[in-house]
Amino acid sequence: MTVGEHFPAGSAAPFVVTTDEDSTAATTAALRSVPGVTTVAPSGTDGAGRARLTVVGEPSPGTPASLELATDLRSAAHEVPGARALVGGGSAELLDARAAAEADLRTVVPLVLLVSLAVLVVLLRALVGPLVLLALNAVSALAALGLGAWLDEHLLGHPALDVQTPLVAFLFLVALGIDYTIFLMHRARHEAVGRGTREGVARAVARTGALITSAGIVLAAVFAALGVLPLVVLGQLGLVVGLGVLLDTLLVRTLVVPAATALLGERFWWPGRVASRS
């Protein structure tokens, strides 16, 4: 903020562009034509035919405007023929980190959900029930991410979650939610034999509720302790996972899952079945 009062805000973390020495003039002209660029200055060579340019922009580093500027700079630099220009710097690295995190989300999340579904199918010997349970678990995790991001912004003052927080938090929440689901539904299937699904799930909640609730509260407290560490990523992770565990333990596992199971009745175990009430 102090730097921005006397110099362009981007001076705190300028972009660094490397290009072939023969294309230095053309690359400099292309970069200067990008809206939001204040200065483009040479900053030496590497002795191997590559020149280095320092680019200062108007936006503050790490802001959405600086990320957009990084994208524009790369587009302009790559249009210079034969320059082989590369754009680096703090905002460019953050842009790459976000792209990598989004790619990890698209790859890892479906794999985790598929593995969780396979475990539930094998355990419950059903298909409808595991699909419903997995959907409830995923929605619970997404709700925790949204609530955690909102609290992190309005209570802790962070503009957004770190790029690694959503993926790691989602993995923790899905794993813990499936764990608690296994405790509850394995007992529900056992109780449903000879009693029916509705009475079986009610008895399962009564017999496992104290265990799941106490374990969830303790686990949420453990993750909340991460919030006292001076690392933003760990603090955000502790906040999101702690909220998610409480949400899953006190609401989803206690009310939503039993209600959904009771509404589906014996269809919950399709294509398998449990012995009906005698």
Side-chain angles (χ1 to χ4, degrees):
M1 183 179 297
T2 302
V3 173
E5 295 176 356
H6 306 280
F7 303 95
S11 300
F15 295 94
V16 179
V17 181
T18 60
T19 181
D20 285 349
E21 288 189 57
D22 296 339
S23 303
T24 302
T27 303
T28 300
L31 296 175
R32 284 176 176 167
S33 66
V34 176
V37 173
T38 59
T39 60
V40 180
S43 54
T45 62
D46 61 1
R50 300 284 291 176
R52 187 167 54 250
L53 303 172
T54 299
V55 181
V56 176
E58 296 176 355
S60 298
T63 60
S66 70
L67 299 182
E68 184 177 353
L69 179 59
T71 302
D72 294 340
L73 287 173
R74 284 179 170 173
S75 298
H78 293 165
E79 290 178 358
V80 179
R84 297 184 300 160
L86 300 174
V87 178
S91 296
E93 293 174 1
L94 179 58
L95 186 65
D96 293 337
R98 287 193 174 185
E102 291 175 0
D104 290 341
L105 277 172
R106 291 192 295 268
T107 302
V108 176
V109 168
L111 290 176
V112 170
L113 294 178
L114 285 175
V115 171
S116 302
L117 178 63
V119 171
L120 289 173
V121 168
V122 172
L123 175 71
L124 301 179
R125 298 190 292 278
L127 184 58
V128 172
L131 287 172
V132 172
L133 295 174
L134 189 65
L136 293 176
N137 189 266
V139 170
S140 173
L142 293 175
L145 280 169
L147 179 60
W150 186 84
L151 291 175
D152 185 65
E153 178 181 356
H154 291 83
L155 295 183
L156 302 182
H158 299 143
L161 293 178
D162 185 83
V163 294
Q164 299 297 329
T165 300
L167 176 60
V168 178
F170 187 85
L171 295 181
F172 270 115
L173 291 172
V174 170
L176 295 172
I178 293 298
D179 189 28
Y180 293 155
T181 298
I182 289 173
F183 281 134
L184 175 64
M185 299 313 300
H186 186 269
R187 184 58 184 259
R189 182 178 179 86
H190 175 76
E191 295 288 348
V193 175
R195 295 186 177 90
T197 299
R198 291 195 176 189
E199 183 178 348
V201 73
R203 292 170 67 90
V205 171
R207 283 161 173 74
T208 64
L211 173 65
I212 294 177
T213 301
S214 58
I217 292 174
V218 171
L219 191 60
V222 171
F223 275 100
L226 294 176
V228 303
L229 298 178
L231 297 176
V232 174
V233 178
L234 292 181
Q236 293 177 341
L237 184 63
L239 174 65
V240 173
V241 177
L243 287 172
V245 170
L246 289 178
L247 180 65
D248 187 84
T249 302
L250 301 179
L251 178 62
V252 177
R253 212 62 50 208
T254 304
L255 297 176
V256 179
V257 168
T261 306
L263 287 174
L264 288 171
E266 305 305 322
R267 293 171 294 177
F268 184 88
W269 311 107
W270 186 91
R273 59 180 301 175
V274 295
S276 60
R277 185 193 303 269
S278 301

